[in-house]
Amino acid sequence: MQLQQIDKSTYRKHLNIVIFSSIVSFAGLSLGLAQLAIFLFTDGQGSHFEINLAGVIVAMLIVGIVLNRIKHHEFMTEVYYVWRLKQQLNLITRKLKVINQAVENDDVAAIKILFFYYRACRQLYNLDDNTIVMDELILKANALEVRIESLNLQIAESDFEPDLLDRY
């Protein structure tokens, strides 16, 4: 995965629209489907917990399928990119302890992963206005860059390949 330049205001606007639309669709579908099923298949008396639950599940599936089908639409470009970026960062985070140990042993593949990780986190934190841990992230990224210079390596964001994670 390669980092891309994303317009923050477009991303936030599109994300808010997607979230709002998903919530409204989910609520409307779950209530509507459950009420329709209760009207069609029961006498209206008693608890209809199972039917309501089925309405929620079916609505969740419909909203999920629709989001999956439209993820490549031009409107979803920024939202889908950030979603994939978060997935990639999550995969790295799961192995971060081992990767950090490998960086301490000057493992070049681990350095490439960590370099990408810090750059991607910085981009993500800026897009999501999560500046609380930004100072700590910058310190870690600077320390890694000092290590890269001391090893006379030339590392770029584009050097990262998801397959590198298979080593750890």
Side-chain angles (χ1 to χ4, degrees), residues 101-168:
Q101 289 172 348
V103 167
E104 292 299 319
N105 294 327
D106 298 331
D107 183 327
V108 175
I111 292 172
K112 288 178 183 180
I113 293 169
L114 202 57
F115 186 82
F116 172 83
Y117 178 77
Y118 289 148
R119 294 287 173 103
C121 283
R122 185 179 301 174
Q123 180 183 34
L124 182 62
Y125 294 166
N126 282 325
L127 289 172
D128 285 343
D129 289 329
N130 181 5
T131 57
I132 294 172
V133 295
M134 190 65 82
D135 292 337
E136 180 182 343
L137 177 70
I138 290 171
L139 289 174
K140 289 179 179 179
N142 289 342
L144 180 65
E145 289 180 21
V146 167
R147 179 179 288 274
I148 290 170
E149 288 176 18
S150 71
L151 295 171
N152 293 320
L153 296 174
Q154 298 294 323
I155 305 284
E157 296 164 5
S158 58
D159 293 338
F160 172 76
E161 294 291 332
D163 295 343
L164 292 173
L165 288 172
D166 294 340
R167 299 180 184 191
Y168 306 99

Side-chain angles (χ1 to χ4, degrees), residues 1 81-97 99 113 116-118 120-121 124-125 160 162 165 168:
M1 171 172 210
Y81 166 75
V82 172
W83 180 71
R84 288 182 304 127
L85 184 63
K86 287 180 179 182
Q87 283 184 319
Q88 190 63 63
L89 288 174
N90 188 25
L91 292 173
I92 296 170
T93 301
R94 290 181 196 162
K95 299 180 177 189
L96 199 53
K97 184 177 180 180
I99 291 169
I113 293 169
F116 172 83
Y117 178 77
Y118 289 148
C121 283
L124 182 62
Y125 294 166
F160 172 76
L165 288 172
Y168 306 99

Side-chain angles (χ1 to χ4, degrees), residues 3-4 6 9 21 35 37 39-40 47 50-51 62 71 74-75 80 87 91 105 110 115 127 139 141 152 157:
L3 295 182
Q4 302 171 4
I6 297 295
S9 61
S21 301
Q35 289 302 309
F39 176 75
L40 293 175
S47 172
E50 294 85 6
I51 294 174
I62 291 171
K71 68 185 177 188
E74 184 179 326
F75 181 84
Y80 183 56
Q87 283 184 319
L91 292 173
N105 294 327
F115 186 82
L127 289 172
L139 289 174
N152 293 320
E157 296 164 5

Side-chain angles (χ1 to χ4, degrees), residues 54-88:
V56 168
I57 292 170
V58 170
M60 188 172 25
L61 288 171
I62 291 171
V63 170
I65 289 169
V66 169
L67 286 173
N68 190 47
R69 304 268 281 157
I70 66 169
K71 68 185 177 188
H72 296 294
H73 188 276
E74 184 179 326
F75 181 84
M76 295 287 289
T77 301
E78 294 84 7
V79 175
Y80 183 56
Y81 166 75
V82 172
W83 180 71
R84 288 182 304 127
L85 184 63
K86 287 180 179 182
Q87 283 184 319
Q88 190 63 63

Side-chain angles (χ1 to χ4, degrees), residues 24-41:
V24 169
S25 299
F26 174 70
L29 281 169
S30 61
L31 289 172
L33 291 170
Q35 289 302 309
L36 180 64
I38 290 169
F39 176 75
L40 293 175
F41 302 116

